[in-house]
């Protein structure tokens, strides 16, 4: 069974509507915050400057979320992250959002590993082997 990266997030008032229910768009923000923590825990970054003046990063290719139950102001959500797929140039992350034992939402975020050079279009790159090795223990299924 793959490992999951787990973090928590308290729902702030700004995240909710006047009924105190989390607005659906905030789940994308919660997922991105968990993704950043995951990368940092692996010694990686989502966007990193290179010595030659370029940057390498992980822009979004697609995202989707499905909602099962409402989350409320001051809930502490547990966010569980695993990897659905490591592609040659892309990474598909899976998210589950829980309040205690209640599944609140699920989500998926697909990213591509890319090079950003000044004055040039972004270009996708193969994910470095050393990154793949760090990701592998979190993979639910791999099609690499």
């Amino acid at each position: 069974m793959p490992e999951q990266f787990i973090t928590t997030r308290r729902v702030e008032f700004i995240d909710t509507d006047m009924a105190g229910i989390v607005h659906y768009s905030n789940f994308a923000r919660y997922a991105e915050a968990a993704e950043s923590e995951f990368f940092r825990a692996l010694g990686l970054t989502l966007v990193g400057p290179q010595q030659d003046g370029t940057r390498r990063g992980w822009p979004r290719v697609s995202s989707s979320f499905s909602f099962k139950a409402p989350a409320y102001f001051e809930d502490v959500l547990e966010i569980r992250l695993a990897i659905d797929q490591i592609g040659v140039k892309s990474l598909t992350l899976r998210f589950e959002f829980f309040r205690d034992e209640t599944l609140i939402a699920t989500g998926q975020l697909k990213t591509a590993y890319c090079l950003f050079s000044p004055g040039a279009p972004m270009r996708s790159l193969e994910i470095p082997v050393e990154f793949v090795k760090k990701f592998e223990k979190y993979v639910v299924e791999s099609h690499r």
Side-chain angles (χ1 to χ4, degrees):
M1 181 165 193
E3 287 190 35
Q4 291 181 318
F5 176 80
I6 299 173
T7 187
T8 59
R9 171 89 182 215
R10 181 176 299 277
V11 175
E12 301 294 336
F13 183 71
I14 195 168
D15 298 335
T16 68
D17 59 21
M18 288 308 294
I21 299 172
V22 174
H23 190 268
Y24 71 91
S25 63
N26 287 302
F27 285 90
R29 290 181 35 241
Y30 298 165
E32 282 199 342
E35 176 194 26
S36 290
E37 287 183 39
F38 172 65
F39 270 66
R40 273 192 300 277
L42 296 177
L44 303 173
T45 184
L46 287 175
V47 179
Q50 306 298 301
Q51 290 185 354
D52 64 1
T54 63
R55 298 175 75 78
R56 293 182 184 206
W58 299 86
R60 281 63 185 109
V61 174
S62 64
S63 67
S64 65
F65 293 87
S66 179
F67 305 98
K68 313 298 182 189
Y72 301 98
F73 173 57
E74 292 195 347
D75 279 353
V76 176
L77 301 180
E78 181 178 271
I79 304 166
R80 302 174 188 175
L81 182 157
I83 297 174
D84 274 342
Q85 183 175 357
I86 301 173
V88 174
K89 297 180 178 185
S90 67
L91 188 64
T92 304
L93 304 172
R94 170 191 298 189
F95 299 88
E96 295 175 320
F97 302 84
F98 283 87
R99 178 186 54 245
D100 300 319
E101 298 303 313
T102 303
L103 178 62
I104 302 296
T106 60
Q108 191 177 71
L109 182 63
K110 184 175 184 178
T111 64
Y113 187 59
C114 290
L115 174 68
F116 306 93
S117 299
M122 107 173 98
R123 183 171 55 95
S124 63
L125 301 172
E126 287 191 18
I127 300 172
V129 173
E130 61 269 21
F131 291 15
V132 172
K133 288 179 182 177
K134 292 180 179 195
F135 295 144
E136 283 179 327
K137 68 181 180 178
Y138 297 94
V139 175
V140 175
E141 62 181 78
S142 180
H143 298 104
R144 190 164 169 77

